Amino acid sequence: MAAIELRGLTKVYPGGVKALDALDLAIPDGEFFALLGPSGCGKTTLLRTIAGLETATGGAVVIGDRDVTGLQPGARDVAMVFQDYALFPHMDVTDNIAYPLRIKKVAKAARHEKAAEVGARLGLDHLMDRRPGQLSGGQQQRVALARVMATQAQAYLFDEPLSNLDARLRLEARTFLKKLQRELGVTTVFVTHDQAEALAMADRMAVMEAGHIRQIGTPSEVFQRPANTFVASFIGSTPMNLLDGVARGDTLEVAGCKIRVPVSAEGRVPDGTAIVYGVRPEYMTYSAEPADGAFGGKVAIVENLGASHLVTLDVGDVIVQAVVPEGSEPAVGDDGYALPRRDRALVYRDGELV
Amino acid sequence: MAQAISPPPEVVREDGPARGDSTDAAGLGRVRAAVFVAPALLLIAVFLVFPALWVLYLGLTNYRLTGVAAAEPQFVGLDNFIAAVTTPAFWNSTWLTVEFVLGSAVIGQAVLGFTIAWLMRDRRGTLKRAVEGLVILAWILPSAIVAFLWVALLDRDSGTLNAMLGIPGFAWLLDHPMLSIIIFNVWRGTAFSMMLYGAALGNVPPSHLESARLAGASSWQQLRDVVFPHIRGHILTNLLLISLWTFNDFGPFLLTAGGPDGRSEVLAVHVYKVALQAGELGHGAAVSTVILLINLVVAVFYLRLLRSKK
Ligand SMILES: Nc1ncnc2c1ncn2[C@@H]1O[C@H](COP(=O)(O)OP(=O)(O)OP(=O)(O)O)[C@@H](O)[C@H]1O
Ligand SMILES: [Mg+2]
């Protein structure tokens, strides 16, 4: 078990795609770290470069106190779960789990014992003689996890291991994985493009865009205070309202409405600066009555989110969204007012959080 | 809505009886289907089935190329077969053929073809195209040209090889006839194995190889634990095909004509000599039948392997 440190890591693929751009990242020992970002931003590349499956074009990968940048994957002492699990179809579950031990020349009896022990822990005891082709997706995923656990690696790398599971299994696996990582205490880097997964499981997370890390923090930091408009628009089950505006003394002029400066930006936006005002639909109070400092407009769409509704207001020529609790949703065409919570709204200047 | 849904069942009912007679998917009916396949069946009958049966028949007669027995062949029972398997030349040829198949096909073409495919698997560009181009060229050239090239290469006095090695007068085809035809056949036929293995390797999931690499597996362990199990079917199919092709290959005749002293007289050449040079068609047909049986045994052996431990 060891910390992972990346220094100025750069990866340029043949053909000139710069998948990682001078990336710095430090993951302390034992942390569950999630990598999140849109498709093609370089998450898999980052993981594979840590594992040594891709050679870095520049920079260094340090695991524990060893610089492993020039080492072969097998010498780095990391274990990885692939998106397709990569179980060997011609070996039974026991042999699959024990495979890394076999390569390390552990005696047959000892490695089978270890496989049985790890398998039992993951609830695979009655499946040990089966081939991967005779297992369900969730069972295969657990075998892949067991194979990783059977080796005492310095770090675990997971590339979207849950994406092949159906929604229900995914929720179960999420809880299970998190608990397992807690118990083992092995540094884990987890790639996902499901933000709910990252928010739910990670100790800390990084949001990536085009080979850069745009924000690192705990899930609640990232959710509540996105460091820039990219992260703000990327994170959240309903997209954050991001509205252009101008500072006017101690109010902001946004979409033709006068809004009070949020707590976090008080006294930090000089008169006349162009800003972007951000507030999550969840942090809006909707009412049918006009209110001071609220966005007023006509209800354009009402979407059912289950226990609540997402109301879209046409405010001038922009749209503002607010989440309304069940039972009090307006009808399309009504006049409506959405009052942002001052302690939750954010102000961005030049794309960065003020 | 209701109207839009109701018509299809009627259509099915109308079509039902007409299609009921024919069990084929296209709904042609037996007669029309038979007309479609008739030309192909006719060609197969005339050029494959009939000659095969004719050979079986000839093997039971004393039919000759010339002379009285050519005009009025006599039925001689199993005499030809007994003669075939009691001739020392036959067993010599069988043994040489086994050597030829193992040396040039199973070891030569398959191993070399796989090695080239494995080395070229991640490469793109000029080197890969050049290597593949050269290997495939040896495969597509007409036999007559290839034979001439090799005779010119191996010629005792003015051959290219001797000139390059600086050993004029070394008679490759006389001193090492089997080695010559084995290397010749490896050169000639590796392209097929290379292409087949190239395609097979493309189907090995990269994540499986990477998983093994992460565990610290060496190249050999990756081959043993990931690649070979994945392409087992391809390997056996490849060996089946090249074994049979090589077994029946007449190419060696173009280089050594079976000589010297029958030292490179593989079975295909043996049949030619018995049936056409010596004119004993009946005897030759019997040898051919025995070759066919050996081929069957080889094919069944590989197919058994293919089916086992699926
Ligand atoms: N082998 C490769 N050769 C060239 N370019 C590549 C290669 N692999 C990935 N890329 C490019 O590098 C960039 C990052 O790819 P990567 O696979 O790391 O994205 P990702 O964040 O994992 O995306 P996803 O969420 O879709 O899996 C992409 O622009 C991709 O097109
Ligand atoms: Mg990816």
Side-chain angles (χ1 to χ4, degrees):
Chain A
M1 279 141 270
I4 299 175
E5 198 183 334
L6 311 178
R7 300 192 193 121
L9 197 65
T10 302
K11 172 70 191 177
V12 182
Y13 280 112
V17 181
K18 201 171 209 175
L20 301 176
D21 196 357
L23 196 135
D24 293 302
L25 180 62
I27 303 169
D29 189 6
E31 187 168 78
F32 198 145
F33 191 87
L35 276 173
L36 186 63
S39 188
C41 70
K43 305 179 296 288
T44 299
T45 307
L46 180 57
L47 211 62
R48 292 171 55 85
T49 315
I50 296 175
L53 297 171
E54 303 286 352
T55 36
T57 316
V61 179
V62 180
I63 298 176
D65 43 17
R66 281 196 309 163
D67 184 331
V68 298
T69 320
L71 295 185
Q72 283 295 311
R76 295 192 177 198
D77 206 9
V78 297
M80 184 158 170
V81 173
F82 291 84
Q83 187 174 344
D84 63 359
Y85 309 140
L87 301 176
F88 301 146
H90 58 284
M91 293 184 189
D92 64 17
V93 170
T94 302
D95 286 339
N96 263 294
I97 297 177
Y99 183 73
L101 299 174
R102 181 171 151 208
I103 294 296
K104 294 200 171 65
K105 300 210 163 55
V106 176
K108 189 166 184 166
R111 63 176 194 251
H112 280 192
E113 192 181 325
K114 180 77 187 173
E117 178 199 322
V118 175
R121 185 149 177 204
L122 297 189
L124 295 166
D125 6 13
H126 57 294
L127 304 171
M128 297 303 278
D129 298 329
R130 295 215 201 155
R131 300 276 177 94
Q134 303 164 315
L135 300 176
S136 73
Q139 291 165 339
Q140 288 181 24
Q141 185 234 5
R142 277 182 283 153
V143 175
L145 277 176
R147 180 167 66 182
V148 157
M149 280 171 59
T151 61
Q152 305 280 302
Q154 298 289 324
Y156 294 159
L157 307 173
F158 295 167
D159 192 0
E160 308 198 22
L162 307 186
S163 60
N164 283 346
L165 305 181
D166 70 35
R168 227 201 112 68
L169 256 177
R170 187 136 77 177
L171 278 181
E172 279 172 23
R174 203 156 98 177
T175 319
F176 173 78
L177 245 180
K178 170 117 181 139
K179 193 163 145 264
L180 195 69
Q181 197 270 344
R182 270 285 137 71
E183 286 168 22
L184 299 173
V186 178
T187 318
T188 303
V189 185
F190 186 99
V191 165
T192 173
H193 59 227
D194 179 347
Q195 46 172 306
E197 222 165 84
L199 291 171
M201 291 166 72
D203 295 326
R204 282 197 316 150
M205 59 190 280
V207 181
M208 288 182 69
E209 183 199 15
H212 294 272
I213 289 183
R214 298 307 305 270
Q215 185 172 8
I216 299 180
T218 63
S220 34
E221 275 166 18
V222 174
F223 184 77
Q224 286 169 7
R225 295 182 52 79
N228 44 60
T229 46
F230 170 77
V231 177
S233 60
F234 185 72
I235 296 282
S237 50
T238 51
M240 188 188 265
N241 294 300
L242 289 170
L243 309 163
D244 290 329
V246 183
R248 296 269 181 251
D250 59 354
T251 59
L252 303 171
E253 200 179 295
V254 181
C257 306
K258 285 221 174 311
I259 309 292
R260 291 179 64 193
V261 174
V263 178
S264 63
E266 244 168 4
R268 296 164 77 174
V269 273
D271 201 36
T273 36
I275 51 104
V276 172
Y277 181 81
V279 61
R280 293 202 181 281
E282 292 88 343
Y283 298 143
M284 295 277 230
T285 313
Y286 178 87
S287 81
E289 310 301 324
D292 212 23
F295 295 101
K298 277 220 179 320
V299 175
I301 305 167
V302 180
E303 291 165 58
N304 192 341
L305 301 180
S308 56
H309 286 77
L310 181 67
V311 176
T312 304
L313 293 177
D314 278 331
V315 181
D317 49 5
V318 298
I319 59 168
V320 173
Q321 295 186 309
V323 170
V324 179
E326 190 174 31
S328 55
E329 64 272 13
V332 171
D334 287 359
D335 282 330
Y337 299 87
L339 179 66
R341 267 176 64 177
R342 254 192 92 215
D343 58 337
R344 282 283 180 263
L346 303 163
V347 171
Y348 294 93
R349 207 162 99 196
D350 301 327
E352 298 298 319
L353 187 64
V354 172
Chain B
M1 259 340 257
Q3 273 173 332
I5 290 172
S6 54
E10 279 172 46
V11 174
V12 170
R13 240 173 280 134
E14 271 171 32
D15 256 21
R19 291 190 175 209
D21 292 342
S22 55
T23 49
D24 54 317
L28 281 171
R30 260 178 213 288
V31 177
R32 269 184 294 171
V35 171
F36 272 104
V37 293
L41 285 180
L42 190 72
L43 286 175
I44 290 174
V46 170
F47 292 106
L48 283 173
V49 178
F50 171 71
L53 294 176
W54 187 241
V55 164
L56 283 180
Y57 162 71
L58 282 186
L60 303 172
T61 68
N62 66 349
Y63 196 45
R64 288 188 56 87
L65 206 52
T66 53
V68 184
E72 289 167 21
Q74 303 285 310
F75 185 78
V76 295
L78 291 177
D79 285 2
N80 283 328
F81 287 88
I82 293 164
V85 298
T86 50
T87 319
F90 172 80
W91 290 108
N92 175 48
S93 290
T94 306
W95 174 240
L96 289 178
T97 309
V98 170
E99 255 178 55
F100 185 55
V101 169
L102 288 180
S104 73
V106 176
I107 297 176
Q109 293 179 7
V111 172
L112 185 64
F114 179 83
T115 309
I116 298 176
W118 177 250
L119 294 178
M120 293 293 142
R121 71 193 187 284
D122 292 331
R123 290 190 194 274
R124 299 279 168 276
T126 332
L127 180 68
K128 180 177 174 133
R129 258 171 298 172
V131 171
E132 289 185 348
L134 282 175
V135 176
I136 292 169
L137 197 64
W139 163 263
I140 57 173
L141 285 177
S143 299
I145 294 173
V146 162
F148 174 76
L149 285 177
W150 275 73
V151 169
L153 175 74
L154 297 178
D155 190 74
R156 183 197 286 217
D157 296 317
S158 48
T160 321
L161 186 62
N162 286 351
M164 282 194 322
L165 295 177
I167 42 170
F170 191 89
W172 290 100
L173 294 174
L174 293 181
D175 291 340
H176 299 284
M178 275 313 283
L179 185 67
S180 298
I181 61 170
I182 285 176
I183 291 182
F184 163 76
N185 195 45
V186 171
W187 173 85
R188 181 92 168 112
T190 296
F192 176 77
S193 302
M194 178 190 78
M195 289 191 287
L196 193 143
Y197 288 128
L201 288 176
N203 283 329
V204 176
S207 65
H208 289 207
L209 281 170
E210 287 166 350
S211 191
R213 274 176 73 200
L214 269 174
S218 64
S219 294
W220 162 243
Q221 286 169 325
Q222 286 174 45
L223 283 175
R224 183 194 63 191
D225 299 330
V226 181
V227 176
F228 290 150
H230 255 289
I231 64 168
R232 186 170 170 273
H234 296 87
I235 294 176
L236 288 172
T237 308
N238 174 250
L239 290 181
L240 169 67
L241 290 174
I242 61 177
S243 296
L244 293 183
W245 288 339
T246 306
F247 203 99
N248 303 315
D249 186 22
F250 192 61
F253 184 81
L254 302 174
L255 281 194
T256 64
D261 264 348
R263 275 167 58 206
S264 64
E265 190 177 308
V266 292
L267 278 172
V269 176
H270 180 65
V271 173
Y272 174 77
K273 288 199 161 173
V274 169
L276 297 174
Q277 288 190 343
E280 298 173 24
L281 285 179
H283 186 177
V287 178
S288 300
T289 308
V290 175
I291 294 180
L292 186 73
L293 290 177
I294 299 176
N295 277 340
L296 269 178
V297 171
V298 173
V300 167
F301 168 75
Y302 280 122
L303 292 176
R304 274 273 165 86
L305 273 184
L306 251 179
R307 236 171 279 146
S308 68
K309 266 211 306 178
K310 243 297 156 211

